[in-house]
Amino acid sequence: MPASPSTARAINDRLALSLLQQEGPLTAGQLKQLTGLSRPTVADLVERLTASGLITVVGESGEQRRGPNARLYGIVADRAYLAALDVRTESVSVLVSDLVGRVLAEGSAPVVPEEGEAAAVEQAVELVERAAKEAGASGDAGRLHTVGIGAPGLVDPATGELRDSAGLPAWHRRLVAALQERFPQARVGVENETNLAALAEQREGAAQDRDTFVLLWLGNSCGAAVVLDGSLRRGASGGTGEIGFLPVPGTAGLPTATDCSGGYHSLVGAAAIVELAREFGLGSGGSTAANLVAEAAMDAPHRGAGRIDMRLRRVDATGHDGAAEGYRPNPAHARFLDALADRIALGVAAVVAVLDPGCVVLGGEIGPAGGAALATRVEARLRRMSPLATEVRAGTLGGAAVLRGALLTARERAQDELFAAPDR
């Protein structure tokens, strides 16, 4: 059946708004060319969207031709303000943007759980308030429209709330309600941090060319996000990708329903990686897992498909190439990366055997720190363990992926509401 006039208008309006979001300001002629709509139809939708306060004239095209330059139309960016949060065990980071995703303010702060649950929540809420004020998204002139939160743990697919999980701070669950109370006009939502990282890597990072892939989060804890045919899969209880509980060889025991220390987490969590590095004589008391992996990846040969690429050389803090003066790589770095790749490949092989995603992205802080040196090692081991062809890539966004994913989610939610047809 043909669409009704109102439905057709809504479809055309949303198409034009999507193009303005993706391409930036456009002229009516450019909208006509990109949408394939007639000139009168484009003129009507431009007038309609301008009257509704969604787009406005932001300049002129500057085209050299007779007559006046064509007007450039763009989305009214300050129609809505968005906030994104990355909530960790002992810290919180926030950024505030306008409707087109331009970051206006950002900040981070430690949270001290020992001071009590209420104090931890208040510290996080105050950080959001300061960022919103700096961005001009407070008071009557501008308010937060949507808040997206990334946090560890399970998100109940029925209620959209963080589930009470052992080992995770109780203040995480209270934060959503506290933000909703402090910003009553805002839409506040929470999503698993690894899922948000996968969304960011797909839109802006290492998986932009993939509709199906798995992101393996490697940080203080480990997790996985599953994207199949362009859709994020959460599972019946929101637990898809809780790979830290996966039973694997090489651990002291088995995981339990409340403790993943006997599972895959025991091999690839940050603490386990630091301990592994010490076995090879690497690191000092203050070395983080990401720093240890980054140093090893910079120093170790890049092992590609059937060859060793020695072009990756160690560069000191001054930018001086030590190889020019006869620098020799520390063989312990290569052995450390080999052992870490052995561990990572155990979990990746299990995921590949079940899902056959064709691509696995190593994310979190550890994956990008290891870069190609680590990813190619994992892929080589996977080829020996599985008949399923799988490319292993290093993530490009690192720890920032959670904030980026939270912002993308908040922007989509806000646009779904603001760009909807008036009679919907």
Side-chain angles (χ1 to χ4, degrees), residues 152-333:
L154 303 179
V155 177
D156 191 316
T159 65
E161 298 177 351
L162 270 176
R163 291 174 53 185
D164 188 7
S165 303
L168 295 177
W171 67 270
H172 284 188
R173 299 185 71 239
R174 289 191 55 185
L175 179 59
V176 176
L179 286 170
Q180 191 67 79
E181 181 179 351
R182 195 68 58 93
F183 302 98
Q185 77 289 341
R187 289 77 172 157
V188 181
V190 63
E191 179 60 273
N192 174 267
E193 60 180 359
T194 307
N195 288 344
L196 292 177
L199 173 63
E201 290 285 3
Q202 187 180 36
R203 300 288 182 81
E204 302 176 348
Q208 293 184 60
D209 61 337
R210 291 283 181 168
D211 288 331
T212 295
F213 71 100
V214 169
L215 180 129
L216 178 62
W217 179 271
L218 298 168
N220 286 335
S221 58
C222 66
V226 177
V227 178
L228 300 178
D229 299 324
S231 298
L232 186 67
R233 307 295 180 172
R234 294 178 175 83
S237 60
T240 295
E242 287 296 317
I243 198 172
F245 287 88
L246 181 71
V248 291
T251 62
L254 292 173
T256 69
T258 58
D259 186 2
C260 64
S261 60
Y264 187 53
H265 169 81
S266 297
L267 296 183
V268 298
I273 293 175
V274 170
E275 185 60 34
L276 178 64
R278 288 176 183 157
E279 293 178 13
F280 291 92
L282 303 175
S284 59
S287 298
T288 67
N291 287 341
L292 289 167
V293 172
E295 182 177 358
M298 192 185 308
D299 193 37
H302 173 194
R303 299 187 179 182
R307 61 185 176 84
I308 296 180
D309 186 350
M310 294 297 294
R311 290 174 295 176
L312 292 182
R313 297 172 172 176
R314 180 174 179 145
V315 179
D316 63 22
T318 66
H320 186 62
D321 188 347
E325 297 180 0
Y327 174 81
R328 292 294 180 268
N330 180 353
H333 283 139

Side-chain angles (χ1 to χ4, degrees), residues 29-45:
Q30 290 169 329
L31 282 171
K32 174 183 179 298
Q33 181 179 6
L34 291 170
T35 61
L37 299 173
S38 67
R39 188 177 300 276
T41 300
V42 170
D44 287 343
L45 74 82

